[in-house]
Amino acid sequence: MLQAALAGGTAGRRSVFELFGRRLPEGRRYGVVAGVGRALDAVEEFRFDDEALAALEGVVDDATVAWLADYEFTGDIWGYAEGDAYFAHSPLLIVEASFAEAVVLETVLLSIYNHDSAIASAASRMTLMAGDRPCIEMGSRRTHEEAAVAAARAAYVAGFANTSNLAARQRYGVPTAGTSAHSFTLLHDSEEEAFRAQVSSLGRGTTLLVDTYDVAEAVRLGVEVAGPELGAVRIDSGDLGVLAHQVRQQLDDLGATRTRIVVTSDLDEYAIAALASAPVDGYGVGTQLVTGSGHPTSGFVYKLVAREDADGELQSVAKKSVDKISVGGRKYALRRRDPDGVAEAEVVGIGTPGRNDGDDRELLVPLVRDGRVVGRETLDAARQRHLDARAELPLEVRSMSKGDPAIPTVFEGV
Amino acid sequence: MLQAALAGGTAGRRSVFELFGRRLPEGRRYGVVAGVGRALDAVEEFRFDDEALAALEGVVDDATVAWLADYEFTGDIWGYAEGDAYFAHSPLLIVEASFAEAVVLETVLLSIYNHDSAIASAASRMTLMAGDRPCIEMGSRRTHEEAAVAAARAAYVAGFANTSNLAARQRYGVPTAGTSAHSFTLLHDSEEEAFRAQVSSLGRGTTLLVDTYDVAEAVRLGVEVAGPELGAVRIDSGDLGVLAHQVRQQLDDLGATRTRIVVTSDLDEYAIAALASAPVDGYGVGTQLVTGSGHPTSGFVYKLVAREDADGELQSVAKKSVDKISVGGRKYALRRRDPDGVAEAEVVGIGTPGRNDGDDRELLVPLVRDGRVVGRETLDAARQRHLDARAELPLEVRSMSKGDPAIPTVFEGV
């Protein structure tokens, strides 16, 4: 595409691309935007080094290789801020640049948004169901090793307390938490030796895994070894609800009333909800988080919605389509709210917003201006935004059953 | 775990870890091992640089940081060769080293195997249904940007012809194929200008996307612009079966009898199977490939199965479990075949294989010896192995309906 556009003289046409999803994943009430910070890093670092250029020989012509050698994004990008909610047709990113500059960003932008938002959207439902109890991200081993780092980051944006992924700490400052595995217990000649080694090295506040052999015996042993100051016990198998009640009772009887109970074992938002009445103090979530709990990708697309014509005039463009709503032109987006601040609609229009009676919230923020990143922020700012944006949605987002989006998307003046 | 084991004096115990899945993904008849080559690269490169070590301060104690600074794997690894089939409890990797050296590889090995094998397992069903027609990997945009590269590699192992991911070409030599998007057509003032630009730059053998406006008109125009030598047309929406028949007829009527028809649009193995009788010449597969067609992870675990005791004797160990088969000890694995060479069973045992009447195939190959990689091979060797291993399985692997594994796993002498 790039080669043909360069050769044909259309590569320089000012173009507007939009990144959006046509619908939420089936049955979901809302989605969560994540990956914005990673996307800004990717745009900034998007360059072709000698090795990459050499690999393109034989794929594209010399003129294209030469153009890519000088590549640097010089356009503008607006988008939803990280952590915000999104709905069908929310214009999550608007990229305005020459066709050539904007089109080569397509795959990396979609990859980041499709992945990170899928994880954050699943994570948000989990933290919503967990309420005040912390969720711990433990899914690195069940996804690609680099996706794992991004997943830990996205989960944190959506309210997870911490992660077991140390690279996420190194790169993004996500708080980390460790755990011990069955292999640690099995390494030792007895469970008692394992517990003594762990408590001796990590202190009484550590979390002991108590289901390698017999849960009740391990809990008894754990309190014997660490005393009632034992930080937590982790249960990773069996009927977690029943076990949590039994273990709580046993801990209380042993005087370890402040020892917490952490449960793990293929948890998802439904399992977390089902454990709401059990005496559980934290949830470790792995596979279902990093695979988006049934929706491992967000289905976002990146579409050309406007471009200059031969006369230099910006024209809306759209694929002819019977089954897809394609709306051309540069968008605006508002979250319409009632006077109590509860979201009522996702309002999308072309051009400049019409009425805004003060309750509406503008959703698009500048992210890149003339090629320079202007939308960078801390991960904690995104995390706080997510909590605020979720709190603004109608109560039905708490429903874990499949249903319609929490608010409709309304096209204004289209 | 590492810190406590180092402090407690058990970190150096010779240990055997095994990577395996307890079951195939629901309803699947076989799985495909992929990621072996990537895992070998990862083991070789597994080091902690100053930045990583600095990030671990406050997470682990100084002794652990010092130990990690010198980390280098010096043990042995055996495993299934890349591209081979696997079943429940197949010992895909056997890692023998000190506990400390082996346990720190857990996450990276699981991440690579869980991801790459999930993709290859889905890809193999797709290429099986596609038969002689090529499958083109086009899913990069629907998964994490690095997972995308690994997915393209895994798909190639499982028989895909090529990928749109240029990084997979650069890193692994996977053949690439391009395509043009609707945005390319929309960039131009008319479809004719778009087609002329593409054919002029890329030659008559290019693939024109014909569903931006009206398919029949675009096909007519494409042949007018490129002549009957037009390489292919791509259809990305609508009823692909019906459209393929119509377009084939139209192309033949226009004399473009050798112009191929490539279809795309959320294809999976079922959609490919349903198009078997349509005049389709190639399948472009995206989302469903990179998300493992319903099974984005393989569910592999990495378990300690044996370790030295205080007397230096290797002891089998296993978590007590009611619902999981945990078999301790160092394994062997054979694919038992009948005299016609058709697989009958996955035979897993401890120690040295008993009978092998000549029809059985040994499945474990040396991958790392004394820390040195010995199992490296070309991607094409893995690809050929996959074709051979799949051909060896009973015919029922062709069934796309959910069912039992194609062959049972038999534990010998356990």
Side-chain angles (χ1 to χ4, degrees), chain A residues 3 13 38 55 106 111 114 140-143 145 169 186-189 201 212 297 307 319-320, chain B residues 3 13 38 55 106 111 114 140-143 145 169 186-189 201 212 297 307 320:
Chain A
Q3 175 182 317
R13 288 187 170 191
R38 292 212 311 121
E106 173 166 1
S111 288
N114 270 321
S140 292
R141 65 192 55 195
R142 294 296 171 85
T143 187
E145 65 275 22
R169 175 192 170 96
L186 295 172
L187 168 67
H188 293 81
D189 295 326
S201 175
T212 304
T297 188
R307 49 87 188 142
K319 175 179 181 301
K320 182 183 169 182
Chain B
Q3 174 182 318
R13 288 187 169 190
R38 292 212 310 122
E106 174 166 0
S111 288
N114 269 323
S140 293
R141 65 192 55 196
R142 295 296 172 87
T143 187
E145 65 275 22
R169 174 191 170 98
L186 296 173
L187 168 67
H188 293 82
D189 295 326
S201 175
T212 305
T297 187
R307 49 88 189 143
K320 182 184 170 184

Side-chain angles (χ1 to χ4, degrees), chain B residues 92-311:
Chain B
L92 302 187
L93 277 180
I94 293 171
V95 179
E96 189 167 339
S98 72
F99 176 80
E101 277 191 31
V103 78
V104 297
L105 294 179
E106 174 166 0
T107 300
V108 72
L109 292 177
L110 280 174
S111 288
I112 292 172
Y113 272 70
N114 269 323
H115 175 266
D116 291 15
S117 300
I119 306 304
S121 297
S124 175
R125 285 159 56 91
M126 295 170 180
T127 57
L128 191 62
M129 289 300 102
D132 291 336
R133 299 173 177 177
C135 290
I136 311 158
E137 193 284 304
M138 302 170 72
S140 293
R141 65 192 55 196
R142 295 296 172 87
T143 187
H144 181 279
E145 65 275 22
E146 281 296 323
V149 188
R153 182 188 178 283
Y156 184 68
V157 167
F160 267 59
N162 44 36
T163 177
S164 63
N165 190 298
L166 290 163
R169 174 191 170 98
Q170 183 182 351
R171 291 192 213 163
Y172 304 115
V174 180
T176 48
T179 181
S180 59
H182 296 113
S183 66
F184 182 78
T185 302
L186 296 173
L187 168 67
H188 293 82
D189 295 326
S190 70
E191 194 170 44
E192 181 174 350
E193 285 179 33
F195 284 5
R196 288 201 186 281
Q198 185 174 337
V199 170
S200 163
S201 175
L202 295 159
R204 296 173 192 276
T206 193
T207 300
L208 294 174
L209 177 61
V210 293
D211 70 340
T212 305
Y213 304 110
D214 178 82
V215 172
E217 171 55 20
V219 170
R220 189 200 61 72
L221 189 63
V223 177
E224 183 184 299
V225 168
E229 300 91 342
L230 175 62
V233 295
R234 176 162 80 99
I235 312 170
D236 183 48
S237 55
D239 184 317
L240 299 175
V242 170
L243 283 171
H245 279 288
Q246 292 172 347
V247 168
R248 182 74 271 158
Q249 185 65 54
Q250 189 185 359
L251 286 169
D252 289 349
D253 290 348
L254 292 167
T257 54
R258 296 172 69 179
T259 300
R260 288 169 297 112
I261 299 174
V262 176
V263 294
T264 54
S265 185
D266 267 337
L267 297 179
D268 60 13
E269 61 268 47
Y270 306 102
I272 292 171
L275 288 165
S277 66
V280 166
D281 302 287
Y283 303 96
V285 189
T287 306
Q288 293 302 318
L289 174 78
V290 298
T291 57
S293 198
H295 299 291
T297 187
S298 308
F300 297 144
V301 294
Y302 184 81
K303 293 292 175 190
L304 183 69
V305 295
R307 49 88 189 143
E308 279 180 345
D309 61 15
D311 300 326

Side-chain angles (χ1 to χ4, degrees), chain A residues 82-250:
Chain A
E82 187 148 18
D84 212 334
Y86 77 84
F87 299 89
H89 292 279
S90 297
L92 302 187
L93 277 181
I94 293 172
V95 179
E96 188 166 340
S98 71
F99 176 80
E101 277 190 31
V103 79
V104 298
L105 295 179
E106 173 166 1
T107 300
V108 72
L109 292 177
L110 281 174
S111 288
I112 292 172
Y113 271 71
N114 270 321
H115 175 267
D116 291 16
S117 299
I119 306 305
S121 296
S124 176
R125 285 158 57 90
M126 295 169 180
T127 57
L128 192 60
M129 289 301 101
D132 291 337
R133 299 172 177 177
C135 291
I136 311 158
E137 193 284 304
M138 301 170 73
S140 292
R141 65 192 55 195
R142 294 296 171 85
T143 187
H144 181 280
E145 65 275 22
E146 281 296 324
V149 188
R153 182 187 178 281
Y156 184 68
V157 167
F160 268 59
N162 44 35
T163 176
S164 64
N165 191 296
L166 290 164
R169 175 192 170 96
Q170 183 181 351
R171 291 191 213 164
Y172 304 115
V174 180
T176 48
T179 181
S180 59
H182 296 113
S183 66
F184 182 79
T185 302
L186 295 172
L187 168 67
H188 293 81
D189 295 326
S190 71
E191 195 170 43
E192 182 174 349
E193 285 179 33
F195 284 5
R196 288 199 187 282
Q198 184 174 336
V199 170
S200 162
S201 175
L202 294 160
R204 295 172 193 278
T206 193
T207 300
L208 294 174
L209 178 61
V210 293
D211 70 340
T212 304
Y213 305 110
D214 179 81
V215 173
E217 171 55 20
V219 170
R220 189 200 61 72
L221 189 63
V223 177
E224 183 184 300
V225 168
E229 300 92 342
L230 175 62
V233 296
R234 177 163 79 98
I235 312 170
D236 184 47
S237 56
D239 184 317
L240 300 175
V242 170
L243 284 171
H245 279 289
Q246 291 172 347
V247 168
R248 182 74 271 156
Q249 185 65 52
Q250 188 186 0

Side-chain angles (χ1 to χ4, degrees), chain A residues 1 16 92 170 175 187 190 212 224 253 265 274 278 352 362 386 399:
Chain A
M1 279 201 280
V16 181
L92 302 187
Q170 183 181 351
L187 168 67
S190 71
T212 304
E224 183 184 300
D253 290 348
S265 186
T352 312
E362 297 237 23
H386 176 61
S399 168

